[in-house]
Amino acid sequence: MKYIISCEHGGNKIPPAYLNYFTAHKDLLNSHKGWDKGALAVAKYFASLLKADFIYSTTSRLLIEQNRTLKHPDLFSEISKQFNIEQKESLINELYIPYIDKLSQYIENAIIEKEPFIHISVHSFTPVLNGDIRSAEIGLLFDPDNAEELKFAELWLKKISKNEPDWRVKMNYPYLGTDDGLVSLFREKYSKQYTGIELEINNKLFDNYSVSQIAERLKPTMQLVQ
């Protein structure tokens, strides 16, 4: 089994050319709207452990959302929506498309080699959203109509629950696995040749556990899918 690991919201960096647009939004950049706390560290741990193909972005989603399709209305944030057409096209051509193309190449290489693979996209989520307390520590997002994704998610849920019984693990929570995003994009592009799961980690865990402790409890293994 080959693993492809990605992390689309690994940081909150803003390229120098756009810094002046964000000088009044430092708190927003440092919030969950700006990045996924802890996600990149866990993704790096997985990539090293599994000797996986690995791609990540440390550019803030407030500049351009790399886990959305080009047609999504929130591809650009409340700040970057104000940019002119040339600026938006530059962001798409310089940041978005190269990321998609590199991840696509990893997937296509695995397909060409006829090697079973799974793409795991690592994210984290805020414990409270709009006053609602999220009732899980871990979410596994997938397409329930995809037999391979369903099988992988079920086995992974059992393994995580065994490693850490106190963590609540929910399927397709706090988002649906079929929502607009890169995994859904690749499902459509590659059909049954592609298998992808989004891992969602509650931010509060990073306040109580080290990255290695979290990653060790969550890590997928070769035995998991055999």
Side-chain angles (χ1 to χ4, degrees):
M1 170 64 70
K2 179 182 182 66
Y3 285 87
I4 300 170
I5 307 295
S6 72
C7 182
E8 287 67 50
H9 305 143
N12 58 359
K13 293 181 180 179
I14 300 294
Y18 302 95
L19 277 174
N20 61 315
Y21 293 99
F22 291 87
T23 52
H25 302 287
K26 291 183 179 179
D27 288 343
L28 195 63
L29 277 171
N30 290 324
S31 74
H32 186 67
K33 289 187 176 182
W35 69 309
D36 279 5
K37 176 182 177 180
L40 180 56
V42 171
K44 285 183 175 179
Y45 192 101
F46 284 173
S48 176
L49 173 74
L50 301 167
K51 297 180 174 57
D53 289 334
F54 181 38
I55 180 172
Y56 63 93
S57 172
T58 56
T59 300
S60 176
R61 72 174 88 188
L62 290 173
L63 193 60
I64 187 167
E65 171 57 89
Q66 290 176 301
N67 192 37
R68 293 289 180 267
T69 59
L70 288 173
K71 65 183 180 182
H72 197 279
D74 293 328
L75 178 68
F76 297 102
S77 73
E78 60 206 76
I79 300 167
S80 56
K81 279 179 180 177
Q82 303 172 37
F83 292 0
N84 61 43
I85 293 175
E86 289 183 357
Q87 289 173 311
K88 290 179 179 178
E89 288 181 348
S90 292
L91 290 174
I92 290 171
N93 292 326
E94 295 171 12
L95 294 174
Y96 183 91
I97 290 178
Y99 187 90
I100 299 294
D101 285 350
K102 186 174 181 180
L103 187 47
S104 295
Q105 192 60 61
Y106 286 147
I107 294 167
E108 288 168 13
N109 287 344
I111 292 172
I112 291 169
E113 294 166 3
K114 296 183 179 180
E115 184 174 8
F117 74 92
I118 186 162
H119 168 212
I120 298 176
S121 178
V122 182
H123 299 267
S124 66
F125 63 93
T126 182
V128 181
L129 182 66
N130 299 326
D132 293 329
I133 299 175
R134 261 73 178 271
S135 59
E137 280 67 50
I138 303 297
L140 300 177
L141 314 187
F142 61 97
D143 180 357
D145 291 331
N146 184 307
E148 289 300 316
E149 291 181 4
L150 175 59
K151 176 184 176 182
F152 191 97
E154 288 177 339
L155 290 171
W156 201 3
L157 182 152
K158 290 178 182 178
K159 183 174 185 293
I160 296 170
S161 298
K162 181 178 179 181
N163 288 344
E164 186 50 69
D166 292 334
W167 289 2
R168 295 163 297 178
V169 185
K170 290 190 175 183
M171 303 286 215
N172 285 319
Y173 182 91
Y175 313 105
L176 294 178
T178 53
D179 285 347
D180 182 283
L182 293 194
V183 173
S184 293
L185 174 69
F186 292 135
R187 283 193 198 108
E188 183 177 349
K189 183 177 181 179
Y190 300 111
S191 189
K192 294 182 180 180
Q193 295 176 299
Y194 171 83
T195 305
I197 299 279
E198 290 183 71
L199 169 66
E200 290 279 355
I201 306 167
N202 194 315
N203 277 344
K204 69 180 183 180
L205 293 182
F206 294 102
D207 296 328
N208 300 304
Y209 299 86
S210 68
V211 168
S212 61
Q213 287 174 325
I214 293 171
E216 280 294 329
R217 287 164 169 80
L218 295 179
K219 66 180 181 183
T221 65
M222 305 300 285
Q223 291 76 25
L224 178 64
V225 292
Q226 290 178 351

